[in-house]
Amino acid sequence: MSRDVAVRNALAYAIPELFWGFGWGVAIDNPMPAAFADGFGRSEGLVGSFGLCAAVGLGIPMLFTAYLLAPWSRKRGLLFWGHLVPSAVLGVLALALPHAAAFGADAVEGVYLASFMVFFLSIGVLDPAWQTLLGDLFPDHQRARVLGVCFSLNRVGGFVGGLVAERMLASASLPAETQWAWLFGIASASMIAGSIGFLFIVEAPREPQARPPIREYLASVWGLVRALRTVRRFITVDVLAITGMVVVAFNGDVAIRDHGIDASWAGVWTRASAVTQVVIALMIAAVGHRISPR
């Protein structure tokens, strides 16, 4: 692969992260579900349900990404559509929210959770394809650098998104449904714009493969988990990490609901965490390429 193509692919991976990080910071980052619940008089149950949607929606579809990819000669199409669909879901949520609010808080919660269930299911299918194509496009010593740049831009976008969320949520003149319709609409537009970048990836076509029977495919996945201790260890660590993220999301709920912190504070939290994550991502970009694969 030529240097020009490598740079193009790196930009095609990194620039969408700026837009997606912005959208995530505006409406989804850890304290945002608590701020949303506060706006509609909901309790910590909504925050927990959001975490459940994320865990189930992200986890289960990942098992089937390889199955879905088998007949595809290129992966960039799945990356594009896998980013576009959840982006559009947030746009639908933005349009539906004011109408749901007319039927009460229960309807708002239902629309919110249903939308994010679809959102996370879409990303669950997408994520393994995003990571495997990264491995196809860049050699070992470049992947950490590309990932570091990607996550740095993601969190820069998240920082700006947190600022927008803070300003919007601090506006006492707007009802909650209007505030959040704007936030979800802004997030959707940003993520749709970012999704376009994946169409510029240059990849070598691969030989399409026939999908095996679904039972045979699932048996092979289970056999892989049983055979490789490293996979089991990775699953355990990942489960602990996801559990930690769900628990951290409740910190925002406790601060807003139990200690009277204004919901706009969610944007401040998002910005503070984004700064820390940018520092870590830049460290990965700086030193990751020096680590030799085992």
Side-chain angles (χ1 to χ4, degrees):
M1 181 182 296
S2 69
R3 179 180 176 82
D4 288 345
V5 171
V7 171
R8 173 174 169 167
N9 284 339
L11 291 174
Y13 252 81
I15 291 177
E17 291 299 319
L18 182 65
F19 291 89
W20 264 68
F22 174 80
W24 210 273
V26 163
I28 307 173
D29 261 331
N30 262 339
M32 294 304 167
F36 181 88
D38 177 74
F40 295 93
R42 300 281 88 180
S43 69
E44 70 275 9
L46 177 58
V47 180
S49 298
F50 177 89
L52 182 63
C53 288
V56 174
L58 291 174
I60 294 178
M62 290 185 183
L63 296 173
F64 299 94
T65 302
Y67 181 81
L68 294 172
L69 270 176
W72 293 49
S73 60
R74 288 182 172 87
K75 298 176 184 176
R76 71 176 186 182
L78 183 60
L79 260 65
F80 171 71
W81 288 106
H83 281 83
L84 189 65
V85 169
S87 305
V89 168
L90 291 185
V92 172
L93 175 57
L95 294 173
L97 200 58
H99 300 287
F103 293 93
D106 287 343
V108 168
E109 182 172 343
V111 169
Y112 177 78
L113 293 177
S115 299
F116 272 104
M117 192 72 229
V118 177
F119 179 89
F120 286 118
L121 284 169
S122 302
I123 296 179
V125 173
L126 161 74
D127 192 68
W130 186 90
Q131 296 193 47
T132 56
L133 183 54
L134 184 81
D136 294 343
L137 296 178
F138 305 101
D140 290 336
H141 67 282
Q142 289 183 0
R143 288 173 203 156
R145 182 173 290 173
V146 172
L147 278 174
V149 172
C150 284
F151 290 131
S152 296
L153 288 178
N154 182 289
R155 293 296 77 204
V156 168
F159 181 92
V160 180
L163 180 61
V164 171
E166 180 189 1
R167 297 291 174 83
M168 183 67 71
L169 293 174
S171 177
S173 62
L174 295 175
E177 60 268 24
T178 302
Q179 290 177 335
W180 284 97
W182 271 103
L183 290 173
F184 290 131
I186 291 169
S188 174
S190 178
M191 290 175 165
I192 288 173
S195 303
I196 296 171
F198 293 104
L199 294 176
F200 292 91
I201 291 173
V202 178
E203 62 174 316
R206 63 193 185 100
E207 188 67 28
Q209 300 175 3
R211 292 192 182 114
I214 188 65
R215 181 178 296 182
E216 180 181 323
Y217 171 78
L218 291 175
S220 68
V221 171
W222 176 240
L224 182 68
V225 173
R226 292 183 60 187
L228 297 178
R229 184 175 61 180
T230 304
V231 173
R232 296 196 300 272
R233 185 182 302 158
F234 185 87
I235 291 172
T236 302
V237 172
D238 207 38
V239 167
L240 292 173
I242 291 173
T243 302
M245 291 174 63
V246 174
V247 171
V248 167
F250 280 98
N251 290 346
D253 178 69
V254 171
I256 294 171
R257 190 170 52 86
D258 293 345
H259 296 283
I261 302 297
D262 190 81
S264 62
W265 170 83
V268 179
W269 182 347
T270 297
R271 297 207 314 278
S273 62
V275 170
T276 304
Q277 291 166 330
V278 166
V279 172
I280 295 171
L282 288 175
M283 289 173 59
I284 293 172
V287 304
H289 67 285
R290 302 176 188 170
I291 301 173
S292 299
R294 289 185 293 180

